Amino acid sequence: MGEVPGAAADAPPLRRTLYWGSGSPPAWRVLLALTEKGLPFRSEQVSFESGVLRTPPMLSLNPRGLVPIFIDGSVRMYESLAILMYLELTYPEPALLPRDAASRARCLTRMHEANSLSAACGEIVYYVRRTPPADINEAYLSAKRDALWEELSLWESYLVGEGASEACGRGLPRQGQRRRSGARSCRRGCSTNDAHACTHALRLAAVYVAGDAFTLADASFFPNLAYCVRLGLALEGCVCCSHGGMVKGRECVCALFTAGRGFLLFANSSCRRPFPVRRRYPNLFAYMERLTRRPTVLATWPPHWSQSPGLPILS
Ligand SMILES: N[C@@H](CCC(=O)N[C@@H](CS)C(=O)NCC(=O)O)C(=O)O
């Protein structure tokens, strides 16, 4: 039997049980929702390596042999998104779904859409893990990586908020142009003050993926994003290269592709731009930072992630 979050040692047996595995994003979704809602449950952590999920008792709970599996009294269910919805309908407070129809629709869309990120990431992970290094098809892998970057760009755009503004505060880029007024502008058209800091008003990044509150959409999406980061995805870094940049001290030391004789040749040089040049996914970066400070996220962080690094498959 696992530990019982939120329950006293002499508490009566709990009606809820969650079977989960460390590092499984679908299982983490349910751990997060239960913790956000403050629902005590019996925690049954299973080991993927042990093969226990393929034993008859576990297959009777989920014939697919996967976690999460959730039990609530006489209710037994699997499939993380179904469990999230069940929890919301059965235990509506505190709400993880917005009340108004438009926000609710957006939240449910994002909640399901998060599976596109796990699919894009999963294709790379399974390919790299199952293919002997000598047989890796670089063109195939590169296309799959591009698909993942595209998927992340979509989420990056979802995190752009509306209305709120603040100064971006970026340093003046080298190619700043002097405007008629005497003010200079950065590539985004930001105006700058004499202290070379951009004072352009930017739309603030939205705080959560479906608006300004943590919802089922975040419970669904965040574990997938954290999984990508665990596998080496760089949300920050120099965007001048396609590798996410490598930062040494305060400089990007990525190798650059440079033009030569009409071809793009690989030059083993570094761009040496001051870091941060730009964040590749600034809104996702801020979101990741914000959520990793959230108490429910900290309380449910995959235990083995704190003890060992992930394989750098996406770096
Ligand atoms: N669609 C399912 C996917 C569940 C799933 O794939 N679980 C994986 C962990 S991420 C699992 O239990 N794998 C069993 C194993 O690796 O033995 C859901 O959303 O709950």
Side-chain angles (χ1 to χ4, degrees), residues 173-277:
R174 259 183 255 154
Q175 288 148 8
Q177 293 159 358
R178 205 166 275 283
R179 286 190 180 156
R180 256 190 239 139
S181 64
R184 289 157 47 130
S185 68
C186 73
R187 282 185 208 110
R188 284 182 146 217
C190 302
S191 58
T192 58
N193 61 18
D194 287 338
H196 300 288
C198 177
T199 54
H200 175 73
L202 280 182
R203 284 188 301 172
L204 268 185
V207 178
Y208 300 101
V209 286
D212 57 6
F214 185 97
T215 63
L216 292 182
D218 299 284
S220 173
F221 171 73
F222 175 75
N224 289 348
L225 178 66
Y227 181 69
C228 290
V229 171
R230 161 98 178 152
L231 294 181
L233 169 75
L235 295 174
E236 62 173 347
C238 177
V239 287
C240 62
C241 67
S242 57
H243 308 109
M246 296 166 65
V247 176
K248 191 175 174 194
R250 296 193 63 78
E251 286 185 328
C252 174
V253 291
C254 66
L256 281 179
F257 285 93
T258 54
R261 294 184 199 166
F263 300 99
L264 280 179
L265 296 178
F266 186 74
N268 203 11
S269 64
S270 300
C271 81
R272 295 274 169 205
R273 294 184 197 189
F275 177 78
V277 176

Side-chain angles (χ1 to χ4, degrees), residues 29-41:
R29 289 169 167 174
V30 181
L31 283 166
L32 257 176
L34 284 165
T35 311
E36 287 282 341
K37 285 188 173 288
L39 294 169
F41 61 97

Side-chain angles (χ1 to χ4, degrees), residues 24-26 29 48 53 65-68 79-81:
S24 155
R29 289 169 167 174
F48 293 121
L53 285 170
L66 303 172
V67 288
E79 285 301 323
S80 57
L81 297 185

